[in-house]
Amino acid sequence: MVETSAAKPRTTRKAVIPAAGLGTRFLPATKAVPKELLPVVDKPALEYIVEESAAAGLDDVLLVTGRGKSAMVDHFDRRPDLEKSLEEKGKTAELNAVRRSSEIASINTCRQGEPKGLGHAVLCAASHVGNEPFAVMLGDDLIDARDPILPAMLDVQEEHGGIVLALLEVPREHIKRYGIVAVEETGRTGEGHLGNIVRVTDMVEKPDPEDAPSNLAIIGRYVLPAEIFDAIRDTKPGAGGEIQLTDAMADLLKAGTPVHGVVFKGRRYDTGAKIDYLKATVLLGVDHDELGSEFREWLTDYVKTSLA
């Protein structure tokens, strides 16, 4: 079994969140508002990611941003004027929510000058990360707080070193959207929403389904060694003409770096496309502590009366 306690000391202490993309699939909503700040029920998608990082014990968070995205950093800053106004009006719940966003983690930032791919975005974090393993968390993948995977990944990296990937079985028609891996079983399993712990033997970025080594896709959680930075520097543009993180990881794998995967079977919400964003909002909305009961009742009635 893999122990998943976030309280134990680890060498991994930092998380990197690449957030420099233009968000073109959500235009015009993202013309002036970063995609990462679009609300999912009652808080930005980015806040869910930072909360997940802090819950796993990684409270040093680096946002890799781009031009026009300073609002992401502002979101995690203090707003004394707003706090004072809420306090004077007795809006305690709102005041606590505003303060909480500025207390989740230590937020740092660096700028990716131009979008050259995920690999290049990760490389921008090199000076902040230094010579330590670190987590990479993509903002398009929201992992339900009730089904954490990052603590288990950190434990596997602590034990074996190298690279640890979050993996998900995907339908054949979705294979071309992801990096796909070939694996060997290790005989180890996680608990509940965590599936097998596997050894990765090969990986390829966005293959045709007929050429894919499996249907196990890399989703947006990685734990990487500092050696990834040199590998990225040596990586040529790949799929889409971008510097792909998968290609750099594949080079490390070929050079002998151990690569493991944790298969995820829990609740995950994809917010990378409009339809998936809407699904995520509904799925999280029906379970919301404050709004869930009323929203579920309305949704049930709407389906019965309007979609029958």
Side-chain angles (χ1 to χ4, degrees), residues 119-176:
H120 181 260
V122 171
L123 182 58
C124 292
S127 61
H128 180 80
V129 169
N131 194 33
E132 303 175 1
F134 63 104
V136 172
M137 309 174 69
L138 304 189
D140 287 346
D141 276 318
L142 300 188
I143 302 296
D144 196 297
R146 295 166 292 185
D147 298 333
I149 187 173
L150 192 54
M153 295 174 65
L154 295 170
D155 287 344
V156 173
Q157 206 282 335
E158 198 76 18
E159 181 179 354
H160 296 285
I163 296 168
V164 183
L165 306 171
L167 303 175
L168 180 75
E169 293 186 19
V170 298
R172 181 178 176 81
E173 61 270 20
H174 293 174
I175 282 176
K176 60 184 178 181

Side-chain angles (χ1 to χ4, degrees), residues 42 46 50 57 84 89-90 116 124 143 183 200 220 228 261 277:
D42 59 352
L46 182 60
V50 174
K84 181 179 179 182
K89 294 177 181 178
K116 293 182 178 180
C124 292
I143 302 296
V183 303
V200 175
I228 193 67
Y277 175 83

Side-chain angles (χ1 to χ4, degrees), residues 18-35:
L22 298 176
T24 54
R25 284 181 286 185
F26 285 83
L27 287 170
T30 51
K31 180 181 178 182
V33 177
K35 178 188 71 173

Side-chain angles (χ1 to χ4, degrees), residues 152-216:
M153 295 174 65
L154 295 170
D155 287 344
V156 173
Q157 206 282 335
E158 198 76 18
E159 181 179 354
H160 296 285
I163 296 168
V164 183
L165 306 171
L167 303 175
L168 180 75
E169 293 186 19
V170 298
R172 181 178 176 81
E173 61 270 20
H174 293 174
I175 282 176
K176 60 184 178 181
R177 301 181 186 177
Y178 295 92
I180 302 293
V181 299
V183 303
E184 295 176 347
E185 296 294 338
T186 64
R188 301 174 63 193
T189 62
E191 297 179 353
H193 60 279
L194 300 178
N196 292 349
I197 312 302
V198 296
R199 184 179 300 106
V200 175
T201 59
D202 194 14
M203 63 183 80
V204 59
E205 180 68 19
K206 299 177 181 175
D208 290 330
E210 54 270 21
D211 298 326
S214 74
N215 70 331
L216 280 174

Side-chain angles (χ1 to χ4, degrees), residues 5-308:
S5 171
K8 60 188 285 188
R10 296 191 180 97
T11 56
T12 306
R13 300 177 298 168
K14 298 176 181 178
V16 174
I17 303 177
L22 298 176
T24 54
R25 284 181 286 185
F26 285 83
L27 287 170
T30 51
K31 180 181 178 182
V33 177
K35 178 188 71 173
E36 295 81 4
L37 292 186
L38 295 179
V40 182
V41 186
D42 59 352
K43 59 186 174 185
L46 182 60
E47 189 166 330
Y48 287 92
I49 306 299
V50 174
E51 287 176 343
E52 179 190 354
S53 175
L58 309 181
D59 58 2
D60 183 333
V61 177
L62 178 71
L63 303 180
V64 182
T65 69
R67 184 171 291 105
K69 290 203 161 189
S70 59
M72 290 191 299
V73 181
D74 292 341
H75 175 75
F76 295 99
D77 202 357
R78 293 291 303 273
R79 275 290 305 273
D81 57 332
L82 176 59
E83 293 175 22
K84 181 179 179 182
S85 176
L86 293 172
E87 190 169 16
E88 290 173 347
K89 294 177 181 178
K91 296 186 175 182
T92 305
E94 292 86 348
L95 175 62
N96 291 338
V98 168
R99 284 179 173 167
R100 185 167 59 248
S101 65
S102 64
E103 297 169 350
I104 303 170
S106 173
I107 302 297
N108 304 276
T109 183
C110 70
R111 177 72 65 88
Q112 183 184 20
E114 54 183 311
K116 293 182 178 180
L118 177 57
H120 181 260
V122 171
L123 182 58
C124 292
S127 61
H128 180 80
V129 169
N131 194 33
E132 303 175 1
F134 63 104
V136 172
M137 309 174 69
L138 304 189
D140 287 346
D141 276 318
L142 300 188
I143 302 296
D144 196 297
R146 295 166 292 185
D147 298 333
I149 187 173
L150 192 54
M153 295 174 65
L154 295 170
D155 287 344
V156 173
Q157 206 282 335
E158 198 76 18
E159 181 179 354
H160 296 285
I163 296 168
V164 183
L165 306 171
L167 303 175
L168 180 75
E169 293 186 19
V170 298
R172 181 178 176 81
E173 61 270 20
H174 293 174
I175 282 176
K176 60 184 178 181
R177 301 181 186 177
Y178 295 92
I180 302 293
V181 299
V183 303
E184 295 176 347
E185 296 294 338
T186 64
R188 301 174 63 193
T189 62
E191 297 179 353
H193 60 279
L194 300 178
N196 292 349
I197 312 302
V198 296
R199 184 179 300 106
V200 175
T201 59
D202 194 14
M203 63 183 80
V204 59
E205 180 68 19
K206 299 177 181 175
D208 290 330
E210 54 270 21
D211 298 326
S214 74
N215 70 331
L216 280 174
I218 304 169
I219 57 173
R221 299 295 181 273
Y222 312 74
V223 182
L224 302 172
E227 288 81 6
I228 193 67
F229 298 123
D230 284 338
I232 295 172
R233 293 184 184 101
D234 293 336
T235 298
K236 301 292 189 295
E242 297 182 332
I243 299 173
Q244 297 292 346
L245 179 60
T246 301
D247 293 341
M249 294 191 299
D251 288 342
L252 285 183
L253 174 61
K254 292 174 184 176
T257 298
V259 181
H260 290 82
V262 179
V263 179
F264 185 63
K265 296 181 178 295
R267 286 162 282 195
R268 166 192 177 245
Y269 312 102
D270 186 348
T271 61
K274 292 177 184 177
I275 186 65
D276 295 316
Y277 175 83
L278 290 174
K279 291 177 182 178
T281 300
V282 172
L283 289 168
L284 284 167
V286 297
D287 283 339
H288 191 275
D289 289 342
E290 179 183 350
L291 307 171
S293 178
E294 182 178 353
F295 179 57
R296 192 182 302 110
E297 182 179 345
W298 172 85
L299 185 62
T300 301
D301 182 66
Y302 177 75
V303 170
K304 288 181 178 177
T305 59
S306 301
L307 300 181

